[in-house]
Amino acid sequence: MKKYCYHILLSVLAFAALASCSEDDGLSGSKNGGAPVVKYIRPCDAAASDSLLVRAYLGSRIAIIGENLGGVNKIYFNDQKAALNPNFVTDNAIIVDVPNAIPGKKEDLIRLYTQNDSCLYTFESVVPVPSVTSMTCEYVNTNDVAHLEGLYFVDDPNYPLTVTFTGDVEGEIVDFDVNNIYVTVPAGAQPGPISVTSAYGTGESSFHFRDNRNTILDFDTTFPDGGYHHGWHAGNGYGTENGLEGCGQYLIFTGRELADDVWDDTNFGYERWTYRETDPDFFDASNLADYVLKFEVNIPDPWSCCAFQIVFTGAEDVWMNWQETSNGGNPNNAYLSSSTYPRALWLPWTETGSYTTDGWITVTIPMSDFKYNGTGGSVAVNGPGHYSGITLFVGSSGGVMGTACTPTFHIDNVRVVEAN
C-alpha cells in the first residue's frame, strides 16, 4: 500500500513539474498560490485505485487530490490534527493518515489550512468497532470488578457502551475510558469470549473469560501415580482461601528467603513429568507461534530476585512411571540447570525492582519465547516431542541480579491455548 502511495505522489509531482514549465511565473498554484481546493479523496491501495472515498477508518492512509495544496501546513479530521509529512505534500496531492484518536466532536469534516487560507471538505472518520484485547485477570469472581483493555470503547447517550459475557448476561460498567473498561462480573457469566458494543458495532474478545481450554495443571487433578503431582516436588502445598471461583485448589510457592544464588525446588518447584513415553504433546508443537501459555497468579509479598521459570519436557528428557519401568522411568531434573535446555523466564520485578500483584492476574507468554536458559542466555527452541511434561520453578537469576526477598506465589489454571 505504501508503494502505491509513492506512485500517486510521483505521478502528481511529474504533472506539477510539466505544468510549471508552461507557466511564466513558475508558481502554478504553488505554496504562494490561491486557497486550497479538494477535488476528491482516494485510497492508497492499488486494488482500489479507481475508487473514491467519502469515509475512512481511523488510522487509514488516504490521498487527498486537489489544487493549491502545496502550502497546506495543517489538516484536521473533525477536531483531531493529522501528522503531515512534507515529503508527502505537493500542489496536487497530500498523502496523510487519518488520526487514530476518536473525535471529541463528530462533524464529518476535513479542514485544510495554509498560512493565509483554508478550506472544508465533507469526509467521515469512521470509528472501528470496539477491540477487546486483554483482561487483567481472565478469572474474576461473580460480583467482583473485571478490567478489560482494548481500543475504541466509546459511549454515546443514544447508544450506551455495553459489556456482554458468554451466557448472554450483561455486566454493569462502573468506569471506562477509550482503552479501559471496569465491569462487574454478573451472575450467570460462562467461560467464553466477552463482547463490547458501542454505537459503532460489537467487538468480541479472542481470549476467553474463565478460560477452561486445554488446562494442563489445575492442581485438583489426581495424576496416575497418586497425589497431585508426578515429579519430585509439589511446591509448599495447596490452598483454597481467596482462590478463584470454581477453580478449587491453587499451588503455593513460599517458605524461605530467596536470593540470586539460592536453589530451593522443594518449596519453589513443581513438576508434572511425562507419565508414559507415548504421551502426546499438550498442543501442536510444530506451530509454536500459534500458541501462548497462560496462568493465573497472585503474588501478595514483594518479589525482587530470581526468575519464574516454565520448562516443557518430553519423555526423551524425563518421564516418571513407577509401575511400567524397572528403574522408575527416567526421573531427573538436570534440565533445570542445563545451559542449553530452553525455557521461558518471567521477570516482572526487573522493571521497578520489586513486584506484587493486587490480587490475581493472568500471565501470558508466547510459546515462541521458550528460548532462554536459566541465566537468560539464548538457546534453541525445542521442537515437537518435548511438550508432554511441564515444570514450574522460581530460582536462578534469569540473568538479572536482584535483592533478597521472601515472596509468596499462588498459581492456578496453567494452560496452552491459541494466541489471540
Side-chain angles (χ1 to χ4, degrees):
M1 187 169 78
K2 290 182 180 178
K3 184 177 181 181
Y4 185 67
C5 285
Y6 281 115
H7 287 169
I8 293 175
L9 196 61
L10 289 171
S11 297
V12 172
L13 283 169
F15 174 79
L18 289 171
S20 65
C21 290
S22 64
E23 295 288 339
D24 292 336
D25 61 6
L27 296 177
S28 182
S30 67
K31 293 183 179 181
N32 297 319
V37 175
V38 177
K39 292 185 175 181
Y40 59 89
I41 294 175
R42 69 187 198 184
C44 286
D45 185 349
S49 59
D50 295 329
S51 301
L52 300 183
L53 296 176
V54 296
R55 65 181 63 86
Y57 280 105
L58 304 186
S60 299
R61 179 159 291 186
I62 60 173
I64 301 173
I65 309 299
E67 297 176 352
N68 302 327
L69 301 179
V72 171
N73 54 30
K74 290 185 293 185
I75 298 180
Y76 283 83
F77 290 75
N78 296 307
D79 56 357
Q80 299 298 315
K81 187 177 183 180
L84 277 183
N85 184 337
N87 295 321
F88 285 3
V89 178
T90 73
D91 280 349
N92 298 99
I94 298 175
I95 293 170
V96 65
D97 294 335
V98 180
N100 213 18
I102 295 173
K105 186 176 182 180
K106 183 174 170 60
E107 298 175 302
D108 295 336
L109 289 175
I110 299 178
R111 292 179 171 87
L112 295 88
Y113 296 90
T114 65
Q115 185 173 350
N116 301 311
D117 295 293
S118 64
C119 75
L120 299 178
Y121 187 80
T122 300
F123 190 82
E124 182 183 3
S125 300
V126 182
V127 179
V129 302
S131 173
V132 193
T133 57
S134 63
M135 194 172 183
T136 300
C137 181
E138 293 177 5
Y139 277 78
V140 178
N141 296 343
T142 301
N143 297 323
D144 286 349
V145 175
H147 176 201
L148 305 179
E149 296 175 291
L151 300 168
Y152 314 120
F153 298 150
V154 183
D155 192 44
D156 184 288
N158 298 315
Y159 301 95
L161 194 66
T162 62
V163 177
T164 304
F165 291 76
T166 296
D168 198 26
V169 288
E170 190 173 311
E172 179 185 355
I173 295 175
V174 297
D175 196 11
F176 75 94
D177 60 34
V178 70
N179 299 122
N180 301 274
I181 296 177
Y182 297 87
V183 58
T184 301
V185 175
Q190 301 297 315
I194 296 174
S195 297
V196 175
T197 301
S198 74
Y200 302 96
T202 298
E204 184 178 84
S205 68
S206 54
F207 68 83
H208 283 203
F209 172 69
R210 294 180 184 165
D211 195 349
N212 56 6
R213 301 170 296 168
N214 198 31
T215 301
I216 297 170
L217 299 172
D218 62 11
F219 307 107
D220 297 307
T221 303
T222 300
F223 294 120
D225 64 336
Y228 295 100
H229 65 293
H230 53 291
W232 282 338
H233 307 102
N236 198 259
Y238 306 91
T240 57
E241 185 178 0
N242 297 321
L244 297 166
E245 184 176 308
C247 293
Q249 295 186 146
Y250 53 78
L251 176 69
I252 301 172
F253 283 170
T254 192
R256 63 164 297 168
E257 183 180 77
L258 289 179
D260 294 321
D261 59 349
V262 169
W263 184 281
D264 184 6
D265 50 4
T266 298
N267 290 298
F268 290 90
Y270 182 99
E271 301 105 359
R272 176 187 168 181
W273 287 337
T274 301
Y275 190 66
R276 294 184 175 88
E277 291 183 271
T278 56
D279 285 350
D281 289 337
F282 296 126
F283 63 101
D284 181 6
S286 64
N287 295 293
L288 290 181
D290 293 340
Y291 293 91
V292 295
L293 175 128
K294 292 189 176 189
F295 59 93
E296 274 66 53
V297 65
N298 178 22
I299 306 173
D301 305 317
W303 171 31
S304 57
C305 71
C306 297
F308 191 115
Q309 304 187 36
I310 306 101
V311 191
F312 283 93
T313 54
E316 177 183 326
D317 312 302
V318 59
W319 89 91
M320 176 174 275
N321 185 337
W322 301 100
Q323 290 76 34
E324 293 188 1
T325 59
S326 60
N327 68 346
N330 175 31
N332 76 84
N333 61 354
Y335 58 86
L336 271 179
S337 56
S338 170
S339 62
T340 59
Y341 200 90
R343 81 257 351 248
L345 304 175
W346 185 48
L347 290 156
W349 58 265
T350 60
E351 296 181 11
T352 57
S354 181
Y355 184 78
T356 58
T357 64
D358 183 14
W360 290 88
I361 65 167
T362 297
V363 177
T364 301
I365 302 175
M367 288 304 305
S368 55
D369 280 358
F370 282 73
K371 58 182 181 181
Y372 303 100
N373 62 22
T375 58
S378 297
V379 296
V381 176
N382 272 337
H386 296 274
Y387 297 90
S388 55
I390 187 170
T391 298
L392 310 178
F393 174 59
V394 179
S396 189
S397 68
V400 185
M401 299 296 107
T403 57
C405 58
T406 308
T408 298
F409 300 81
H410 298 161
I411 306 156
D412 211 347
N413 306 318
V414 181
R415 56 199 182 273
V416 177
V417 297
E418 291 187 14
N420 293 348

